[in-house]
Amino acid sequence: MLGRPSDEMNLTERDALVAHHSQRLQGLRTASYGLLLGGVETDAGERFRIGRIGLSDPDDGERLLVDWRAPVARPFYTATPLHREGVKARRRISSTDRTVTGVYDEPLLIDLDDPAVHGGGDHRDGALLAALDRPRTQHMSDIVGTIQREQDAIIRGPLAGTLVVQGGPGTGKTAVALQRAAYLLYEHRNRLAKSVVLIVGPNRRFLEYISQVLPSLGEDSAVLVTPGTLVPGVTATATESATASEFKGRLEVVAGLKRVVSVVEVPNEGVRMLRPAGLKPMALDGQLLHRVRTRGRSGGTPHNAARPKFERALLTEILRLEDAEHGTSAMEDSERRADWAEDPAVQELFDELWPLLDPVEVVRDLFSDPARLDAAFPSLAPSMRAALLRPREHGLTAADIPLVDELAELLGDDPRPAAAAAARARADRATDLAYAQGVLDMVDDIDGDEDRLAAPVSIVTAATLADRQSSRDGRTPSERAMWDREWVYGHVIVDEAQETSPMLLRALIRRCPTRSMTLVGDANQYTATDAPFTWAGLLDPQVPRWSRTDLTVNYRTPGRIMRVATDVLRRIDPGAAVPTSARDGDHEPRVFRVAAERLGEAAARATVEALEVSDGTVGVIGPLGVLGVVRDLLGPEAAKASAGGASDRLWVGTPDDAKGLEFDAVVVAVPSMPAPGVVSSATWKRLYVALTRPTQRLTVVEAGDIVG
């Protein structure tokens, strides 16, 4: 029977159970990624098995697995012979699906005076080295089984505040950031499962690369975007000069965008003539327009949302003019307003004096119209003006997206669709109420024919019944957040954060006003401009309080390869800090010098050789012109493996495309490189990025003498 309290309770319980079991099922699916990570034995004789998820025996409640994020599991990652934390032995287990592939026992209760136990840090354990030597695939693997002490401190850091993680190539910045997301979702489940974590990566290929990490840890309350897809429904598809991108990233752009909006709101100068149908023209002078403009802007309402306020103010002035011309009308003011509002001349005046604007179209108009650009930024240098101007049909760039987001805030929503939707909702609601009342009337008729010996039915209104029958939004919080520009996230993680512009940071803070953020990156890999980069320069103007921690061990790039890369970095900044490689590697880097016109051909040949000797992935990194030759020579497989596509083993792209990625073998094609100072420092940093992508082998094909 409709309306019983137990019915309402059962519906609520059902929804809660569905959500609980769906989440639990997602966790159990992680078994395919390796369920058991290892275990510890304490001084007290207790044994804890550490797993991707926590598991208990359903019969007696015995704890079978401790979730790796639980406090009791922390010594599994942080205990060392010097700081045992009550642990005397540790075992790490690696597996594929349900097959154990390695067992690594590590006694911690040892004689620290024995010289044999020295000579390696806590990053030298066998499980870690085995993981580092494992061939890479198209998707990044999590590091949950081999988290190191300095990484664990970051992963388990507090939710509040902004944390900067500075780390050189291969220090595990991305893996730490993703593991941190999983930890925060576990530790602050009630908050973050509903508010969701936003993860910002440098490009679409990077998001594909990391896409399996959080699901492998049983988490799905995250939204993954790039700077070019931050605004739902808007995608950056074009590129532009570094000069134009840098300008658009400045906070001073906000004032220019405000000028763009204000200039279209009821110009004060001149007289506007209103020519209503069947009536004498009316002159709207500057004072009248000023009053209307002031009322429309009152309260700080965004431009589009203020349109109804402006319309009411203008109609009030029109009624006043009509009264002055013809005397007071016998009609009610509401009727007169409605009559005037429907006049085509008035509607045309509404659109002329307070046009409804779309943020994307405003950006297109701004950078394609010299007059608009000059009005927004009156002090532009001629060279900057030339760099910013472009055809209106030019696609949006990644630097345009924060401007679109800013304009969306300044403009607000178009009230007309909202008003129409509200009217439809009211009509639908009336229909639902009428139907529900009919059901209740029918129930009353049935009850009137019975002896009413049954238990009484609780009182149910038509509104309650209609609410129960209304459709529910079955999307998860992350699915809703993905399409809601105004969603407020519980935490934001930014990878390659050194490339974040001040305007992009402003857009991210808008999505997380608490500034609960983790920014991971490397100042030495900043390539947006030739200007020096500092974290303080980026954060201090908008984030008053932030902290920084550094990762110091390079787990990805072998020492042999890192020495080549460091030679390049030293040409830019002799004092730059470089992380220590966890292993020296088995393969010496190879360097070939060829004539400039043969660079593409030589890179293609080196790629074929790399595919033959490597069992894992191969990345080909170089300038676009050379990559085009490589794709032509290698055929369809190389074309498929471009930065926007995928291949089982081969990837082809520029250094900017390669940021955040890693490959077993890398072929770097280097054109002739003048000395630092002659060519931009960003160009040398891009070469540094390219040289630090391999985990095993590096081949450099160069036109000129730059390495060694």
Side-chain angles (χ1 to χ4, degrees):
M1 179 71 69
L2 287 171
R4 293 186 188 278
S6 59
D7 292 339
E8 184 71 25
M9 180 178 65
N10 288 340
L11 287 173
T12 303
E13 290 178 348
R14 180 200 64 186
D15 291 346
L17 283 172
V18 168
H20 169 75
H21 289 303
S22 295
Q23 182 179 343
R24 189 59 175 164
L25 183 60
Q26 172 70 15
L28 293 174
R29 289 195 181 106
T30 65
S32 61
Y33 297 96
L35 185 60
L36 178 61
L37 305 175
V40 295
E41 181 181 357
T42 70
D43 291 340
E46 293 181 294
R47 295 175 182 268
F48 297 102
R49 301 183 188 91
I50 312 301
R52 285 181 180 274
I53 59 174
L55 280 179
S56 298
D57 190 314
D59 295 328
D60 58 16
E62 178 188 359
R63 183 161 54 180
L64 303 176
L65 283 180
V66 175
D67 191 297
W68 67 274
R69 296 164 289 190
V72 73
R74 184 166 191 169
F76 176 71
Y77 298 109
T78 59
T80 67
L82 188 60
H83 302 284
R84 294 192 298 108
E85 302 183 38
V87 175
K88 67 178 182 180
R90 170 170 50 214
R91 168 174 288 180
R92 298 187 190 271
I93 295 175
S94 61
S95 59
T96 301
D97 294 327
R98 298 176 185 272
T99 302
V100 172
T101 57
V103 177
Y104 307 91
D105 287 323
E106 182 183 0
L108 299 178
L109 189 59
I110 58 179
D111 182 3
L112 294 175
D113 293 327
D114 184 351
V117 306
H118 298 285
D122 63 356
H123 57 273
R124 298 293 301 176
D125 64 82
L128 173 63
L129 295 178
L132 297 180
D133 289 334
R134 188 178 303 127
R136 268 43 178 183
T137 67
Q138 292 183 61
H139 296 290
M140 181 181 184
S141 300
D142 62 68
I143 62 167
V144 65
T146 57
I147 294 171
Q148 301 300 293
R149 188 182 183 89
E150 69 173 4
Q151 296 172 330
D152 185 80
I154 297 169
I155 291 168
R156 297 175 190 265
L159 174 65
T162 297
L163 172 65
V164 170
V165 180
Q166 161 68 35
T171 52
K173 299 183 296 294
T174 300
V176 166
L178 295 174
Q179 254 70 205
R180 175 164 168 74
Y183 171 79
L184 293 176
L185 286 166
Y186 171 87
E187 185 70 9
H188 305 276
R189 175 74 60 195
N190 291 338
R191 175 178 175 180
L192 294 185
K194 296 177 182 178
S195 59
V196 187
V197 172
L198 177 66
I199 299 175
V200 184
N203 53 59
R204 184 169 66 86
R205 175 64 181 87
F206 175 83
L207 295 187
E208 293 172 355
Y209 180 58
I210 68 170
S211 62
Q212 298 303 311
V213 173
L214 285 179
S216 76
L217 298 171
E219 300 295 349
D220 60 0
S221 295
V223 171
L224 278 63
V225 300
T226 68
T229 59
L230 181 65
V231 176
V234 182
T235 301
T237 58
T239 59
E240 63 188 342
S241 68
T243 300
S245 293
E246 187 274 333
F247 177 84
K248 293 176 182 178
R250 301 175 189 173
L251 288 177
E252 303 91 271
V253 169
V254 174
L257 296 179
K258 289 180 178 178
R259 284 191 286 270
V260 169
V261 175
S262 66
V263 77
V264 300
E265 294 176 346
V266 195
N268 285 334
E269 70 279 358
V271 176
R272 290 291 190 279
M273 297 302 298
L274 173 62
R275 305 179 188 280
L279 296 176
K280 291 172 56 178
M282 293 182 176
L284 310 181
D285 61 24
Q287 289 184 338
L288 181 152
L289 293 175
H290 177 74
R291 290 196 298 271
V292 172
R293 177 189 178 106
T294 301
R295 292 172 193 164
R297 289 183 168 185
S298 64
T301 308
H303 171 84
N304 287 340
R307 168 72 175 255
K309 188 191 302 184
F310 151 75
E311 291 180 356
R312 289 192 298 270
L314 183 57
L315 289 172
T316 296
E317 297 293 343
I318 291 174
L319 293 184
R320 184 179 291 117
L321 288 176
E322 184 184 33
D323 290 342
E325 179 74 22
H326 302 291
T328 303
S329 172
M331 294 176 61
E332 295 286 341
D333 278 358
S334 60
E335 295 177 351
R336 294 169 65 196
R337 284 176 178 275
D339 189 45
W340 276 103
E342 293 176 0
D343 190 291
V346 174
Q347 293 179 358
E348 183 177 341
L349 196 62
F350 286 163
D351 290 336
E352 177 190 352
L353 296 181
W354 203 282
L356 290 165
L357 303 175
D358 176 84
V360 171
E361 298 308 311
V362 172
V363 169
R364 293 186 189 280
D365 290 339
L366 174 62
F367 295 113
S368 62
D369 186 335
R372 291 177 191 262
L373 192 60
D374 290 340
F377 307 106
S379 301
L380 271 184
S383 58
M384 183 63 74
R385 186 174 182 269
L388 292 171
L389 283 172
R390 67 194 187 196
R392 194 180 188 285
E393 61 273 13
H394 189 280
L396 295 178
T397 68
D400 289 326
I401 301 303
L403 276 59
V404 171
D405 193 65
E406 188 73 31
L407 283 164
E409 286 291 305
L410 294 172
L411 297 175
D413 294 329
D414 185 336
R416 294 172 300 179
R424 287 195 301 271
R426 287 193 294 271
D428 292 342
R429 178 67 170 173
T431 302
D432 291 342
L433 286 172
Y435 174 78
Q437 188 59 56
V439 172
L440 292 177
D441 292 342
M442 182 175 63
V443 171
D444 287 341
D445 291 340
I446 294 173
D447 286 346
D449 295 336
E450 296 177 348
D451 59 10
R452 302 185 184 276
L453 295 178
V457 176
S458 64
I459 298 174
V460 179
T461 66
T464 302
L465 184 59
D467 288 340
R468 289 180 185 169
Q469 303 308 314
S470 64
S471 60
R472 301 187 180 190
D473 189 343
R475 296 175 299 169
T476 64
S478 57
E479 289 170 335
R480 296 201 304 273
M482 186 182 304
W483 295 104
D484 186 351
R485 193 194 65 83
E486 297 180 344
W487 189 274
V488 176
Y489 290 88
H491 192 74
V492 173
I493 290 175
V494 186
D495 206 323
E496 300 296 335
Q498 75 277 357
E499 305 299 342
T500 303
S501 71
M503 282 298 291
L504 176 56
L505 180 61
R506 179 180 171 91
L508 295 177
I509 292 173
R510 186 175 293 127
R511 285 155 174 77
C512 188
T514 63
R515 293 167 172 78
S516 174
M517 299 188 293
T518 303
L519 311 181
V520 301
D522 179 12
N524 292 330
Q525 296 184 61
Y526 171 72
T527 59
T529 71
D530 284 331
F533 172 85
T534 65
W535 292 111
L538 171 65
L539 295 173
D540 284 352
Q542 301 186 73
V543 185
R545 291 177 296 277
W546 55 276
S547 60
R548 167 177 164 170
T549 186
D550 288 20
L551 293 170
T552 61
V553 179
N554 184 340
Y555 300 102
R556 175 179 64 221
T557 314
R560 298 169 190 256
I561 295 175
M562 199 63 203
R563 286 189 283 274
V564 175
T566 302
D567 286 344
V568 170
L569 183 61
R570 292 283 180 247
R571 298 180 183 225
I572 310 164
D573 182 1
V578 179
T580 303
S581 293
R583 70 203 196 286
D584 200 49
D586 299 324
H587 308 287
E588 285 290 345
R590 300 193 304 162
V591 179
F592 298 99
R593 296 179 178 85
V594 298
E597 63 272 15
R598 295 182 52 217
L599 186 58
E601 175 189 345
R605 186 166 56 251
T607 302
V608 172
E609 294 174 358
L611 287 167
E612 291 175 349
V613 300
S614 175
D615 294 329
T617 55
V618 175
V620 185
I621 306 175
L624 286 173
V626 174
L627 296 181
V629 175
V630 171
R631 291 190 184 100
D632 289 342
L633 293 175
L634 294 184
E637 190 67 13
K640 181 183 176 184
S642 64
S647 176
D648 289 341
R649 294 185 56 208
L650 182 62
W651 181 92
V652 180
T654 67
D656 287 333
D657 297 329
K659 283 188 175 181
L661 304 181
E662 62 181 12
F663 310 95
D664 293 277
V666 169
V667 175
V668 180
V670 186
S672 298
M673 298 278 285
V678 178
V679 70
S680 72
S681 63
T683 300
W684 284 90
K685 287 183 178 180
R686 288 187 175 92
L687 177 57
Y688 178 64
V689 170
L691 295 174
T692 55
R693 298 307 96 194
T695 66
Q696 303 289 341
R697 302 172 185 269
L698 171 67
T699 302
V700 179
V701 183
E702 56 170 327
D705 182 12
I706 63 151
V707 179

